[in-house]
Each structure stands twice: as structure tokens, then as C-alpha cells.
Amino acid sequence: MFGQRCVIISSPKYLKELFSPSVHSPFLRRLPLTSGFIELGMDKEGLLLNCDVPKWRHNRKFFQQSLSPPSFLQLCTKYTVEYCEEIIGYWDCIKDDEVIRLDEWFRAFTSDMMGLVASGSKETSMKIQFMKFTNQIYKEKKIEDEKNKGEIYRRLRSEYADALGFYIFVPKLLWNLPFISVAAKYYKNILNYLTEFEIQFIKERKQQIKIEKDYNISDQNSKVRPDFLTMLITQNTEDDPSPDEIKQNIREMFSAGTGTTTTTLCSIVYLLAKYPEHEDRMVKEILNVIGNDDQITTSNLSKLPFTEAIINESMRLYPVVPITYRYSPDQNTKIGDYHFNKDTIFAINLSHIHRNSEYFENPDQFILERFLGNWKERIPKFAFSPFGHGMRNCPGKNFSMAEMKVILATIYRKYTFKLVNPNEPIQFKFTLVNDISKMEVYIERRK
Ligand code: HEM
């Protein structure tokens, strides 16, 4: 893999070293440096593919600190509720016998939601999804959107997702070949245009914050949006993190936070459609804790253990990141009793580990009791790793768990979903993650 020896790890027994929480761990890198990562600017910026350990640590600190204040999580809950209300407004216009592409709807939802949470960009993916569905004057909307900043940003991000695939999977050697060179040039332009766009709005936000000298995130009267971008800028001392670092952190909030949540939500809906008795129990819990119409708050999210078990068991069966990697270029390493030369890539096969019968009885079945009660004492830590572990685990874990609980609680109070093809297995396409490819459902309103 990437020209290096790759060892696949399929047992949690060998994860202690690879998932070590120590800053001195030799496994602080995910993958070796490639020309594609350099072209994307991800080799030294952001987190996901950052190969420069001091720079990665610097970014990780800012990324994590920006996501963690309770006031920020509360705000994200509020935004999620608002967007759920928007999606309900559209879904209420859809008849019970009409087929909808749930994967597309959740993709639109998570994209609009991230737009707002990451950079205050108010976008219209759900509106467009609805217009497409109802064959409304989509063309006119398109022309109107040419001038809409949020819409330009949304499209650039979507092109960026394709550029990521290109630069990660197509080796530099091939970039000058006919046809491929056209794509290489096109994606280069997209990257440049997106960077220009992002640097400009970072500059504008910085100026806004400067005008309000004593800016405080909880000030209701402030004109500055209290989002991830503002959080990153307000931790800033002497232009640190730099605009380029801020830009990459925002990009990764989108690229790591939208597809993952979309796919996990689709897996949950798929499994609940197959196990209606679990759905009934979840809805009862939601109605008991939150009620039928009341707004969801962060404090009642912690009172939904059954809903949480559903999310966990779905992520066990269908982990959106089926394989994660660790890499040690500086020193030879030892995993269990085995010695490895430096430069070995370790591919940690999470989807295989999650179905190991040593830790999960009847591993292919959807059994919620596994994740009820004191499950953290029963299930060994590394046997269940939907968000990874150790120094490079997922910094968006709490955010996405809260987001998914709010979405489930809000939409399942109103609707139930029936699979159009109940006998078909769920379909994913694998890029670096498992991405839901198509999921067709009927929406039924609850009586
Ligand atoms: C259901 C939702 C999500 C799942 C299942 C998920 C899963 C993962 C996994 C398995 C990893 C690799 C961990 C490791 O190698 O140990 C990861 C990394 C990462 N995730 Fe998530 N993620 C989700 C949502 C999010 C969200 C919402 C964000 C942003 C707010 C995010 C940001 C990141 C970043 C930046 C990394 C790279 C961390 C680093 O290398 O230091 N993820 N995620």
C-alpha cells in the first residue's frame, strides 16, 4: 500500500500499542506522505492525513478545544433541532406511497447543518432536494443560486470531495497522461478557487470579531456567528492558528463530519425497519423522556440509553470507517510478540473486529442488550471502536453522537420508514470510508 508493506490487524488483542493514548507513541501518523496529500495541502495541515506530528498536535489542540465547550454543543443541538423542523416541513408534503432517496436527504441535511455549524454558511441543500423531488422550477433556482455565496460554497465543497478521491487514489505519475491531465487541472482549479473563497471569509470573520473588541460567544446581541470558525479564530494568538490551518480544519469538519453521519443514520434506519420491535421501544423512550412536541435539549440527550444502544449496535454492524490506519516511519515497532520494521503500515480492520464472536455472541445479529447497562465493563475497549481510539481517535465523537440522537428523537416521533426493497442488503460504496450508495424508503406519518 502506497509502496510500503501493509499488515492487517484483525484482533483487538494487538491494538494496545497501535491505539496507545501516549504522546510518545510511535504510531502518531495515520499514513505515509504521498504526492496527493501534498497537492491537497493535507500533509502538514489539518488532522486527517497530516503526517507532520508537531503540526498535527497543534491543529488537534485547536480542533478539540473549539468543539468541546458545552455552550457550543448546546448551540449545535439547537441548530440540529431547527434543521429537523425544516426537513419535517418538506417530508410532511410527501405522500406515504412516494419513494424517497433517504441517503440523498440525509446528505443534504448534514451538509446544510455543517455549513451552519462550521462557518455560519446558510445553505439550501434540503430545499434543492425538495425541489428536485417535486420537479419544481429547479432551473430558475439554479440561476438564482449563482449569486448565493452559501450555494457556491456548497458546490465547491462537493467538488472538493471528488478532488480528495482523485489525489488520494491516482498516483502523481499518471497526472500528466491524456484525459487524466484534464481531471488533474480541473481539480487543481477547484482547490485554488475553494482556498481563495475560504481565506476571504476567514478574513471577513476576523474583521468582524476585531470590531467587537470584547467578543464573547454567549453574548446574544453579538453580530458574530458563534460557530466553529469563530471558535477557532477566538483561540487565536498572534495569527496562530494561521488562516491556512483554520481553512483546513473547517474543510475537515465537512469532509469527516457529513458523509460519516449520513451513512450511520441510514444504517440505523435500515436496521430499525428490519427490527420494528426495537423501533417501538426507542420511540417509547423518546416520548417518555422528551414528550411528543417538546424541544430537545442537551440535558435530556443523556437520558436516552436505548436510543444510544441502537446507534452503537448499528455502528458495530456497519462501521462507517471499516479500516483505520497507523504508521511508524521513525522506528521499528513491536505489536504483541511480533517485531516490525519501521515504515510498516498497519490497517486496523474495524469491521472484522466488530463481528468477532469471542466478544459478541451471535455477532451478525442486531442485539441491543450488548450496549445496555454497564456495557463498557463487559465489552473490551478495543473490540468496539467506531470512532477509533488513542491519540488519533475521532474528535467529532461527542458532537456526532449528540447530533444523531437529536435527529432520531425528532424524526421518529413523527415518522416511521419502510424499506422499498426489504430483502436487499444495505448498499455501501467504499472510498476511504463506507459511503451509503442508495437507500430508498417510504415515509409514514405516525398516527
Ligand atoms: C458517525 C459519525 C462519525 C464516525 C463514525 C467517525 C469515525 C471516525 C474514525 C473511525 C476516525 C479514525 C479514528 C482513528 O484512527 O483512531 C475518525 C477520525 C476523524 N474524525 Fe470522525 N467520525 C464521525 C464524525 C465526525 C465529525 C462530526 C467530525 C467533525 C466534527 C469528525 C472529525 C474527524 C477528524 C478530524 C478525524 C481525524 C482525527 C486525527 O487524525 O487526529 N468526525 N472519525
Side-chain angles (χ1 to χ4, degrees):
M1 189 182 182
F2 297 117
Q4 315 285 5
R5 181 183 185 210
C6 178
V7 174
I8 299 175
I9 305 287
S10 296
S11 167
K13 287 176 193 150
Y14 301 115
L15 292 182
K16 197 169 140 240
E17 293 87 353
L18 292 167
F19 277 160
S20 160
S22 162
V23 285
H24 305 295
S25 164
F27 301 109
L28 293 179
R29 291 175 186 81
R30 181 161 281 120
L31 285 166
L33 182 65
T34 71
S35 41
F37 298 175
I38 297 172
E39 198 67 19
L40 286 162
M42 291 174 88
D43 57 319
K44 290 193 175 67
E45 283 167 13
L47 304 179
L48 278 169
L49 301 173
N50 198 329
C51 312
D52 183 318
V53 172
K55 290 202 165 144
W56 161 77
R57 281 177 63 179
H58 183 73
N59 280 315
R60 175 99 194 183
K61 187 183 85 187
F62 283 114
F63 200 99
Q64 215 143 5
Q65 281 176 0
S66 300
L67 276 182
S68 37
S71 57
F72 183 68
L73 273 182
Q74 268 162 18
L75 196 84
C76 294
T77 306
K78 189 173 149 261
Y79 287 155
T80 315
V81 171
E82 280 170 19
Y83 276 127
C84 283
E85 280 161 8
E86 182 178 338
I87 211 169
I88 285 172
Y90 299 128
W91 284 358
D92 270 346
C93 305
I94 296 176
K95 295 194 196 90
D96 284 3
D97 60 353
E98 285 181 299
V99 176
I100 69 153
R101 282 280 303 268
L102 197 65
D103 54 309
E104 289 182 355
W105 274 101
F106 279 150
R107 223 177 281 287
F109 182 100
T110 52
S111 176
D112 280 358
M113 168 77 193
M114 234 5 144
L116 200 61
V117 168
S119 62
S121 168
K122 190 101 180 75
E123 299 175 10
T124 52
S125 316
M126 283 194 280
K127 190 170 173 189
I128 293 172
Q129 184 65 24
F130 184 65
M131 289 179 123
K132 272 199 319 205
F133 183 79
T134 49
N135 290 321
Q136 279 183 39
I137 32 160
Y138 183 51
K139 262 192 201 148
E140 279 176 35
K141 172 89 182 75
K142 261 188 172 167
I143 295 162
E144 176 197 312
D145 283 342
E146 300 296 326
K147 298 169 213 139
N148 176 338
K149 261 191 175 179
E151 182 51 23
I152 298 170
Y153 186 32
R154 187 190 68 79
R155 286 193 208 162
L156 280 172
R157 281 198 326 262
S158 148
E159 301 277 2
Y160 173 73
D162 296 337
L164 265 182
F166 177 85
Y167 286 116
I168 292 175
F169 292 112
V170 183
K172 190 169 187 176
L173 257 140
L174 307 180
W175 294 353
N176 288 327
L177 293 181
F179 299 114
I180 298 182
S181 67
V182 177
K185 208 168 156 195
Y186 176 75
Y187 288 130
K188 180 91 192 151
N189 281 339
I190 292 289
L191 287 182
N192 289 342
Y193 195 21
L194 179 62
T195 304
E196 217 177 276
F197 194 90
E198 290 164 328
I199 295 291
Q200 181 57 28
F201 74 57
I202 293 169
K203 208 167 136 195
E204 284 168 16
R205 181 68 63 85
K206 275 190 168 177
Q207 273 165 357
Q208 238 183 0
I209 294 172
K210 221 175 183 175
I211 293 170
E212 289 190 29
K213 275 193 198 98
D214 304 316
Y215 172 74
N216 176 348
I217 184 158
S218 32
D219 180 357
Q220 306 268 335
N221 299 320
S222 167
K223 289 203 178 80
V224 179
R225 286 203 67 91
D227 51 32
F228 187 62
L229 172 59
T230 295
M231 300 295 289
L232 284 169
I233 294 175
T234 49
Q235 291 179 46
N236 197 302
T237 46
E238 310 273 323
D239 217 22
D240 177 22
S242 70
D244 275 336
E245 284 168 323
I246 294 178
K247 169 210 83 188
Q248 189 57 33
N249 283 353
I250 298 276
R251 266 187 205 178
E252 294 194 3
M253 180 112 175
F254 282 108
S255 43
T258 50
T260 44
T261 313
T262 299
T263 298
T264 307
L265 285 169
C266 284
S267 311
I268 296 171
V269 172
Y270 171 83
L271 286 161
L272 290 179
K274 296 242 163 215
Y275 294 84
E277 67 282 12
H278 294 328
E279 179 180 324
D280 289 348
R281 199 170 152 195
M282 179 184 84
V283 173
K284 269 194 196 121
E285 178 181 79
I286 292 166
L287 293 179
N288 262 339
V289 175
I290 305 164
N292 216 346
D293 297 312
D294 290 355
Q295 279 242 336
I296 295 157
T297 59
T298 27
S299 69
N300 46 34
L301 288 184
S302 59
K303 298 175 198 147
L304 300 170
F306 196 75
T307 309
E308 194 165 320
I310 286 174
I311 300 175
N312 281 334
E313 180 65 346
S314 306
M315 292 195 295
R316 182 188 70 80
L317 284 170
Y318 302 119
V320 67
V321 181
I323 301 175
T324 189
Y325 301 89
R326 292 294 186 271
Y327 174 64
S328 162
D330 301 328
Q331 61 189 80
N332 296 342
T333 50
K334 193 172 169 227
I335 309 277
D337 293 333
Y338 304 97
H339 293 267
F340 295 95
N341 288 341
K342 60 183 179 182
D343 276 335
T344 306
I345 299 174
F346 296 93
I348 305 162
N349 190 345
L350 299 178
S351 47
H352 186 88
I353 294 172
H354 282 188
R355 290 190 188 223
N356 186 327
S357 56
E358 208 177 307
Y359 311 100
F360 302 102
E361 212 181 316
N362 297 320
D364 296 332
Q365 286 179 23
F366 187 57
I367 301 175
L368 300 174
E369 281 62 32
R370 307 183 204 280
F371 289 104
L372 290 173
N374 58 348
W375 66 270
K376 286 190 179 150
E377 285 160 34
R378 291 193 310 267
I379 301 176
K381 191 169 164 194
F382 300 135
F384 177 64
S385 319
F387 294 100
H389 282 291
M391 295 299 284
R392 285 198 87 137
N393 73 350
C394 176
K397 178 181 169 184
N398 293 343
F399 171 88
S400 52
M401 282 303 281
E403 185 187 9
M404 288 190 287
K405 278 195 222 169
V406 174
I407 296 171
L408 293 179
T410 318
I411 64 173
Y412 272 95
R413 283 195 299 197
K414 292 218 94 189
Y415 309 105
T416 180
F417 302 86
K418 297 277 172 282
L419 300 171
V420 172
N421 301 305
N423 298 324
E424 266 184 18
I426 187 162
Q427 293 172 38
F428 301 108
K429 54 179 186 291
F430 178 73
T431 44
L432 267 183
V433 296
N434 270 338
D435 207 9
I436 186 81
S437 50
K438 186 176 179 187
M439 190 160 160
E440 291 181 322
V441 298
Y442 300 109
I443 308 183
E444 284 176 17
R445 263 149 288 268
R446 285 187 192 282
K447 304 275 177 309

